[in-house]
Structure formats: C-alpha cells, structure tokens
Amino acid sequence: MTLLSAQKVGKFFGSFPALRALSFTVERGQCVALLGRNGAGKTTLLRILGGLSRPTDGGLQSQARISILGHGIGVYDELSARQNLDFFAALSPVAINTAAWLEKVNLTQVADAPLREYSRGMRQRLALARTFMGEPELLLLDEPFTSLDDKATALLQTLLGEALQRGAAVVLSTHQIPEAMTLATHVLFLERGKLAFAGPRPAEMLQDPGWLYRNYGAVA
Amino acid sequence: MLRQAWAVFQKDIRMEFRGKEALNAAVAFALVVLILFSFAIDPTSEELREMSGGLLWILFAFSGVLLLNRSFSREQANDTLDVLMSLRVRPSALLLGKAWANLIFILLVEAICLPVFGVLYNIDITGQPGWLLLTLLLATWAIAVVGTVFAAMTVNLRLRELMLPVIVYPMIIPALAGAIRLTNLALTGAPPAGDDWIWVRLLIGFDIIFTALALGLIDFILVD
C-alpha cells in the first residue's frame, strides 16, 4: 500500500534548483535511506515530504500520519517531559498513553523536571518518544543517528524496528551509511537535486558503503 | 481546530509562567515608563485626564510587543514549529492559540499597570468599569491578533525584535485611536454617547476583519 507518492517534485530557491523532478513512492513497511552529499537536497526533500515546505513544481500525495525528527529535538525546554508528551498527545488524532512512553524511554523518574535540567542523552530519548508515540504511519528522520549516545542509538534502532514491523514507513536521511543499511529496504540517492538512484537497497551497500556514490555519484 | 488551539494556548501559558521572562520584562518596562511620566506630568492638571488614554495605550502597545516577539520565537529553539506543522496542526489553530495566550499576557500587564496609573496620576479608574473592560478586551485582542500574525511573519528575520514593532504599530493605529478615545471617556466617568459609539463599532469591526485576515493568511506565512 502506497503511503506517499511524489510526482516530478521540484523546488527552486530563487533561480537555484534545489530539487529537480523527483518521482518516487514510499510503501507501507519500507525503510527508505535518503542518501546524498551535503547540499544534495536531502533536508529540502524531507521538509517537503513533511509538509513544512511547498514544492515549486510537481506534487505530493499522502494521507499518512507523519512524524518528523529534524536537526532540532522538537521539544520544549521550558516544559517537563510529561508536559511535552501530553501537549503533543493532545494534538494527535489518536489516543496516546504518554506515561507508557515515559516508561519506555526510561524518563518516568524525572518526568516532572523541566527539560533544561536534563542531560543531552535524556533529551534525545524524550525526542525519540515524541517522534514515535501515536504510531505514526510515516516517519521522516533527518540524520537521526548524528550525535546520539549509545543508549539513544540502541533505543532508536529498537523503535525503528518496531515501527517497521507494524507496517509504518520510514524515510531517513543520513551520512552514517553502515547504520542505515542494516535497516534500509530501499534507497533514494540524491545528487545535486536529482534522483540518481531509486530502488531496493543494493546488496553491495552492506559490504561497501561507498558503492552507490562511486557508481551513481556523477549526475550531470 | 478549537481543540488544537486550546492545547497551544495552554502550552504557551504554561511555558511563559514557568520562566516569566517576557512577562517580567513587559511589566517592568510598563511600570518604569509610568513612573518616569509621573515626574514629567503634573498629576493634578486637566490635560492629564485628556491624554491619559493615549499614555496608557502607547504603554500597552509597546509593552505588548515585548510579549508578542516571544510568541513564535519560542517555537524556534528546538525546531518545534516544524514538529507542529508535520503533525498537521492547522496553522489557524496555532495562530488562534497563540493569540489567546498573548491576549492573556497583555491583559495581565494592563491589570497591573492600571491601578498603578490610577495612584500615580490621581485618576479614578473605576468610574466606568464596564466600558473600560470592554475597551481593554477589544483593543487588546486587536494588538494580540495583529501582533501574533506578524510575529509569525518576522520569526525568521535576524532583526525581528526591531521589525515587529515597525510593522505592527502602523497596522493597529485605527484600533489604538478608538481605544484611546474610549479610555479617555471611561476615565472621565461618562458613558459613550452619540458619536462615541462609532469608536466601539470601529474596534469591533477591526477585530473581526483582522482576525479573519490573520486566520486566512497564516497558512501562507508558516509554510514556505
């Protein structure tokens, strides 16, 4: 079942083409690794998929419930962990047991303390709870492994596995190809705003993370 | 939409009352201006009564902008605005919740300043409490709704603290004109009569038109 369909999506910033005529679909249960060098258009594409930016050309079709984890952690420093999750749960169309999520990310003991008293790892775990709670159908993750501590990395991998198992789709942009390839079923490879490769994850990527860049990395 | 707006309103109230940074700054600014002006103006003069509405509303508008500036910038620190948009929170719900919170914050500043104004300037503020309250509500909503939509527009500007008042003040001149006139009347103890009703109608019309405009435009402002 198709969760998201992009048809000839393009985005211009002034006269600069950030994305050029991208067409692809994301199906239920797929984990799509969005790869590309810095400036290739990964974040721009994720913003368009998340409804944060309008494409200049083409269109998107998706009725999926989306959750996004960007470069910021997406929670409020002035609130406690419980208040943060309660707030986002109140905005969700589905009922969410926030206490269970606090337990799951091991923050129950400090649930009522303001976030500015949290360590970086605790804040990351709360961000993961916020992202995955409510069983979103499509998860958009922008470099999710960057600067995670070991506990948060393990938690992220567990949550991603659970989400994929229940049929959610994941689109994750990353430069950490080895971590991504263990989860990815499909790959979108962007090169200067163009889709240089789109399809099932090449088996070669498991042994050789640079394979895609060498074979598809020179789009004119 | 109202459920989402209510959640945003509660969240903004909770966040501001946890730190009270903007609220303290706005109240402190307003009180300092009131005290400074009390040295400059003879509190027994008749002119004071005639200019008291103007003094109060300039004060409320200036201190209000200090609060409005925080409205969308508090969503920037950890990219929470992106999260809200991706959760398909309707931009109009976001605007409405934030405008309600700003209304409460500015009304709080007014509630603290008015008694101080009454004491320092020797003016009875209880002569027409109903009319004063109606004026405060209508004009404060005008500042809150116009200010909130422009706070969304200027949130990504580096000079947003400077740009917001530059854009907001000219837009709210009609509402401030009505509020000044009605506040002067309320402080003299006389109810509006005859031509004065036009100012009430102006404030109501301003609120309706600018609320509708803000709700219609916010979608284009928040999604780039």
Side-chain angles (χ1 to χ4, degrees), chain A residues 2-33:
Chain A
T2 303
L3 281 179
L4 185 145
S5 168
Q7 294 103 25
K8 295 189 175 174
V9 166
K11 179 78 179 181
F12 281 76
F13 293 113
S15 60
F16 175 74
L19 297 174
R20 290 183 279 187
L22 310 185
S23 296
F24 60 91
T25 58
V26 178
E27 309 287 329
R28 205 170 264 284
Q30 284 186 353
C31 178
V32 181

Side-chain angles (χ1 to χ4, degrees), chain A residues 9-171:
Chain A
V9 166
K11 179 78 179 181
F12 281 76
F13 293 113
S15 60
F16 175 74
L19 297 174
R20 290 183 279 187
L22 310 185
S23 296
F24 60 91
T25 58
V26 178
E27 309 287 329
R28 205 170 264 284
Q30 284 186 353
C31 178
V32 181
L34 182 58
L35 305 179
R37 296 183 173 90
N38 286 338
K42 301 188 297 295
T43 298
T44 304
L45 179 57
L46 278 178
R47 288 183 64 79
I48 290 174
L49 299 183
L52 313 178
S53 178
R54 288 192 183 90
T56 318
D57 301 317
L60 276 179
Q61 283 184 328
S62 176
Q63 294 301 316
R65 275 187 297 110
I66 294 174
S67 186
I68 195 164
L69 180 62
H71 292 172
I73 58 173
V75 287
Y76 298 98
D77 288 336
E78 292 88 345
L79 301 180
S80 68
R82 193 187 309 281
Q83 286 170 334
N84 264 292
L85 294 193
D86 284 346
F87 169 62
F88 289 109
L91 297 173
S92 171
V94 299
I96 296 170
N97 181 351
T98 53
W101 274 97
L102 286 168
E103 185 70 42
K104 190 165 192 164
V105 297
N106 201 19
L107 291 174
T108 306
Q109 301 292 321
V110 290
D112 295 308
L115 242 60
R116 53 169 78 99
E117 293 173 13
Y118 281 26
S119 70
R120 188 182 173 83
M122 290 156 80
R123 290 156 60 88
Q124 288 167 340
R125 297 207 301 278
L126 179 67
L128 292 177
R130 192 271 303 154
T131 308
F132 285 85
M133 71 180 195
E135 303 198 340
E137 295 163 300
L138 177 59
L139 286 146
L140 303 174
L141 313 176
D142 196 0
E143 300 186 25
F145 296 103
T146 305
S147 69
L148 287 189
D149 65 14
D150 56 339
K151 271 188 190 170
T153 302
L155 179 65
L156 174 59
Q157 282 170 333
T158 306
L159 292 172
L160 278 172
E162 288 174 3
L164 292 168
Q165 225 164 21
R166 65 173 163 77
V170 178
V171 179

